[in-house]
Amino acid sequence: MPCHTRYTCGRAVLRWNDDSQTPDFPAGMSELRLSMAKNYESEITQFLKDLRQQRPHLEASQKSGRALLWDKAIDLDQVEEFEAATVAQKPYVYQTED
């Protein structure tokens, strides 16, 4: 039977057959273990969720901080002048002109 869908669960790879809605479990893989893998949340994910719940203003604060440093309007005329004023660098910058 050809298998079209793969789902990785730990080190095992589960395959779904065309005619079945349930996967072919490898030896030693139980449905309980599969459901545990689907419901798993890492400590980092839990920490971030808790942090967002404790500080709901955090994301807005991050966006405003980003706007201060990165979200700037670019003056294209000034960029063009800067590029026009650029001088080509010599191949060896420490060479004296004799």
Side-chain angles (χ1 to χ4, degrees), residues 9-28:
C9 177
R11 293 186 184 143
V13 176
L14 306 179
R15 301 177 190 280
W16 271 263
N17 292 322
D18 292 334
D19 58 347
S20 175
Q21 294 297 322
T22 59
D24 292 334
F25 290 99

Side-chain angles (χ1 to χ4, degrees), residues 75-92:
D75 183 7
L76 296 178
D77 292 332
Q78 191 176 17
V79 171
E80 199 173 294
E81 287 177 19
F82 179 78
E83 288 176 353
T86 302
V87 178
Q89 185 176 350
K90 297 177 187 177
Y92 185 69

Side-chain angles (χ1 to χ4, degrees), residues 10 23 26-28 46 53 56 77 88 90 94:
Q46 292 172 2
Q53 286 177 355
D77 292 332
K90 297 177 187 177
Y94 301 108

Side-chain angles (χ1 to χ4, degrees), residues 18-61:
D18 292 334
D19 58 347
S20 175
Q21 294 297 322
T22 59
D24 292 334
F25 290 99
M29 175 66 72
S30 67
E31 291 185 32
L32 175 63
R33 187 170 171 195
L34 177 63
S35 68
M36 288 172 48
K38 285 183 180 180
N39 297 325
Y40 173 76
E41 277 188 354
S42 69
E43 291 178 14
I44 300 289
T45 304
Q46 292 172 2
F47 169 76
L48 290 174
K49 283 183 177 181
D50 291 343
L51 186 64
R52 287 184 185 134
Q53 286 177 355
Q54 293 171 3
R55 301 179 186 175
H57 64 282
L58 185 64
E59 189 172 344
S61 169

